[in-house]
Amino acid sequence: PKKYKPINPDVLRKYHGDICDVLNVSKQSLQSFAQTLFGEGIINKDTKISVIRMGGIEGADDLLNHIELKVEQNPDYLHVVLELMENDEYLRDIVKKIRGGINMTR
């Protein structure tokens, strides 16, 4: 497993608006991110379906609320979420900001 410096789980709340904007702009990102989060067990099937059906800023906001709750319950999920975000070309830049601009994967 990759080693990262510890990140405060509140960081997702801090970037909530930015992440929502990105997911709102790219419907593809919202759908694939929701699908991947479901695959990793971070959200359940009902949440995935509802988020994709809602779409747009409401869907993105709802998805993030679920992720934030999950991370609060279990902070270990934060790194999973960030890695999944890194796999999306639109969300990747936010992860760089969250990690303090240090890309430690290279």
Side-chain angles (χ1 to χ4, degrees):
K2 299 176 195 158
K3 283 281 176 223
Y4 298 111
K5 61 184 179 182
I7 299 170
N8 186 328
D10 287 349
V11 77
L12 289 176
R13 289 205 192 283
K14 182 180 169 193
Y15 286 98
H16 187 106
D18 294 350
I19 300 169
C20 278
D21 289 345
V22 170
L23 292 173
N24 183 34
V25 169
S26 170
K27 187 174 183 182
Q28 169 89 40
S29 286
L30 179 61
Q31 287 177 348
S32 62
F33 192 40
Q35 180 63 48
T36 309
L37 288 163
F38 168 66
E40 291 287 336
I42 292 170
I43 60 171
N44 64 28
K45 189 175 182 183
D46 291 343
T47 302
K48 179 192 81 170
I49 291 168
S50 131
V51 160
I52 290 173
R53 193 173 289 150
M54 246 187 280
I57 204 81
E58 291 88 5
D61 184 55
D62 193 49
L63 180 62
L64 271 174
N65 288 334
H66 279 91
I67 296 170
E68 287 160 7
L69 193 65
K70 190 77 171 187
V71 167
E72 274 171 25
Q73 291 164 351
N74 184 349
D76 292 344
Y77 278 116
L78 181 61
H79 288 297
V80 177
V81 170
L82 293 178
E83 280 192 27
L84 297 177
M85 287 172 66
E86 268 183 331
N87 294 333
D88 182 284
E89 58 178 319
Y90 299 104
L91 294 171
R92 198 172 290 143
D93 290 343
I94 295 174
V95 177
K96 283 183 185 160
K97 280 189 212 167
I98 289 173
R99 291 207 169 121
I102 301 166
N103 185 353
M104 301 175 85
T105 53
R106 293 198 173 148

